Structure formats: structure tokens, C-alpha cells
Amino acid sequence: MIYFLVGFGILAGIYGVFTLGLNVHWGYTGLFNIGVAGFFALGAYTAALLTTAPPSPELFEDFVFGGNLANTLQLGIDLWFFVALACAAIVSGVVALVVGAITLRLRDDYLAISTLGIAESVRLMFLNEKWLANGSRGLYNIPKFLGDLVTPEQYDLLYFAVVIVTLVVLYFIIQRAINSPWGRVLRAIREDEEATAAAGKNVFRFKLQAFILGAAVMGIGGALYAHGFRYVDPEVFDPLLATFIVWVMLMVGGSGNNLGALLGAFVVWGIWSGTQFLPAEINNPNLRFFLIGFLLVLVIMLRPNGIIGERRRVSEGGT
């Protein structure tokens, strides 16, 4: 049971990272991004390609580049892991800069369609361009962070701690950003773009900055996934489990509230993974979709702002 709970905690924590990134986009800025899977894939493949060994001719591997940082960048500790996380964030952020510069001037529905299309393009690129990341065979033997310190049986416990520490660090960074004047401008844009522009703020620039920050956080989540599960292939980045379930987590927990986003990740993933313990007679995969959909409808009807909705604050001023 303990191994199930630890595995659950690792994946729920990684989904928590994605919900934090999506919360920056939608919860605080109002950017309708349904291309989470694209930044997830970019982060995961960036970290995997940088740290795995070069392709082996004996294994008939198709990809041409393996950075092998895990064997060349030790310096007494597994420094390569932090480099991989940073590079995953940078690559996702740079792609977000290009995508955002093109799409953020579009209306919300067009932005959503654009980001979904870009995410699928990223997935299909990794699927069809075998030289890039081994195509449908995926990348395997992705190195373990601090894997030499513990036995294989204990490794999940160690990685669970790594995920939680990363999640907490990202939470406080985002909280600090959101509570700053920069974050208040984002919330103003979410509420009324025209009024914010009339107040002299460069709305497009702020939206682009938020888009880059959220994408970078999602890229870090992808890198955590790659090193946690040590295998990535294009099927991992199916929109259902890499985008839409993240949206459900955010809506259930409460957009505009980072604690709500994290709560939603653990609640929804708890339902998703917990259904495997149901009796065989009713243990149908479709039941998962029903329960998640039912929960979403229930939350929308009873608590439209999520279980922990955004706490609205009114500035105290003189009358």
C-alpha cells in the first residue's frame, strides 16, 4: 500500500506542477491555453535528450543526439538534474515566447484552438521525426536523480521528496510573483483588458510574460515526469491525460488560487488512480471518465469557483 501511495504522490505532485503553470495562464491572466501537453512534452523530451546516453547501434535506436549529461556533469552531486530542469524550463519558455508573440493577440477561442493545434504538432513531430527522439519507441533508460544513494526499492520515496520540494519551491515563487504589482496587473487584465490598457499598461507584454512563466513551469513538470518514470514516448502526451485532466484539476480545486490548484490535482488524481481498487464487476475504465465528469459538474453547480476558490480582496482606501 505504501508503494501505491508514494507512486500516487509522485504523479499527483507532478500534476500539481502543471496546474500551477495553468493557473498562471488561466487563473490569474485569463489565457485560454488548452495546449498544456505541448509544454509537457517539450520539458520531458528536453530533459530526457540532454541526460540520456548517445544512441547505441546495437539497439537500432533512431535518434541522433543524447547529451549524456548524467555521466559528464556530476561534480560530486547529480548537478545534471538541475541543468535538465532549467533547460526544460528555458526551452518551454522560448517556444512560449514564439507561440505567444503570434497567438496572444487572438481572441480567447482562437487562442485555445491555436494552442491545441500547436500541442498536437509537437506530439506528432516527436512521433514522426524518429531522428529527433526515437519516434514511437520513445526514450528509455532516462537516468535517476540521486539513484546511487538508495536501493531501487526505496527510490520512489526519495523521488517523492524531490517532487514535493520542487512543487513547494515553485508554489512560493509563483505566490511571490502573483502578490507583486506584476501579479496585480495580470489579474486586472483578466478582469478587463481594455480598462487595464486605458490605465497605461502594456497588456500584450504582460500577457506574454505570464504565458512564458506558465509554460516554463509546465516544462519543469515535464522534466520531473521524465526522470520519475524514466521513459517517454508520444503517447504519454495524449491531450486527455496531458491537457484536459489538468484543466479539470484546476477547475475542481479553484482557479485563481494556487492552493486550490494543488488540491484539485490531488483530488482528481486520487479518483483517477483509486478506481483501480474497485471490484472487478464495476472496474471499468469508462467509470473513471464518468466519475471525473460527475465531480466537475458537481463542483460547477455547488462551488462554481472551485473547492478553494480565489479569495477576492478589496483595496482599503479612503472614502
Side-chain angles (χ1 to χ4, degrees), residues 10-15 17-18 40-41 43-45 47-48 81 85 139 142-143 159 163 218-233 235-237 241-242 269:
I10 290 173
L11 206 44
I14 292 172
Y15 271 117
V17 174
F18 293 134
F40 178 4
Y45 273 111
F81 180 74
L85 259 61
L139 298 173
I142 300 171
Y159 201 71
V163 169
M218 293 173 190
I220 292 173
L224 287 173
Y225 180 93
H227 290 290
F229 291 86
R230 305 185 64 208
Y231 173 77
V232 292
D233 74 70
E235 290 301 313
V236 172
F237 311 105
L241 285 177
W269 192 247

Side-chain angles (χ1 to χ4, degrees), residues 41-281:
L42 287 169
Y45 273 111
T46 299
L49 286 169
L50 284 175
T51 56
T52 52
S56 169
E58 290 80 12
L59 297 175
F60 301 102
E61 293 173 321
D62 295 316
F63 66 104
V64 299
F65 173 77
N68 204 23
L69 286 184
N71 291 319
T72 59
L73 193 61
Q74 291 286 342
L75 300 180
I77 60 170
D78 285 348
L79 188 61
W80 55 266
F81 180 74
F82 303 102
V83 174
L85 259 61
C87 290
I90 291 170
V91 169
S92 297
V94 169
V95 172
L97 171 63
V98 176
V99 172
I102 299 170
T103 61
L104 288 181
R105 297 184 191 278
L106 301 174
R107 278 178 18 205
D108 287 348
D109 43 0
Y110 292 115
L111 174 63
I113 294 170
S114 301
T115 51
L116 178 61
I118 290 166
E120 271 299 278
S121 299
V122 169
R123 188 177 71 85
L124 293 175
M125 176 185 70
F126 283 117
L127 176 63
N128 295 315
E129 300 298 329
K130 296 180 180 179
W131 62 271
L132 186 59
N134 220 23
S136 60
R137 297 171 62 190
L139 298 173
Y140 40 85
N141 291 330
I142 300 171
K144 291 180 177 179
F145 175 54
L146 299 177
D148 297 333
L149 295 183
V150 295
T151 64
E153 292 76 19
Q154 296 173 325
Y155 182 73
D156 280 355
L157 280 171
L158 172 66
Y159 201 71
F160 172 66
V162 171
V163 169
I164 294 302
V165 168
T166 307
L167 185 64
V168 170
V169 170
L170 289 173
Y171 170 82
F172 281 107
I173 290 174
I174 294 173
Q175 277 292 106
R176 188 173 179 84
I178 292 303
N179 290 328
S180 68
W182 180 79
R184 289 194 285 274
V185 175
L186 296 189
R187 291 196 292 273
I189 291 171
R190 179 194 63 189
E191 299 298 328
D192 193 330
E193 279 191 35
E194 294 182 359
T196 308
K201 302 298 181 183
N202 187 329
V203 170
F204 175 76
R205 189 180 68 182
F206 278 95
K207 287 169 70 174
L208 185 59
Q209 291 169 352
F211 194 63
I212 293 171
L213 174 61
V217 172
M218 293 173 190
I220 292 173
L224 287 173
Y225 180 93
H227 290 290
F229 291 86
R230 305 185 64 208
Y231 173 77
V232 292
D233 74 70
E235 290 301 313
V236 172
F237 311 105
D238 178 82
L240 175 64
L241 285 177
T243 291
F244 295 114
I245 198 170
V246 181
W247 268 97
V248 173
M249 290 168 173
L250 183 62
M251 301 311 294
V252 167
S255 66
N257 185 325
N258 284 325
L259 282 179
L262 296 181
L263 177 65
F266 279 81
V267 168
V268 172
W269 192 247
I271 294 174
W272 185 272
S273 58
T275 52
Q276 64 181 291
F277 296 108
L278 292 174
E281 294 77 14

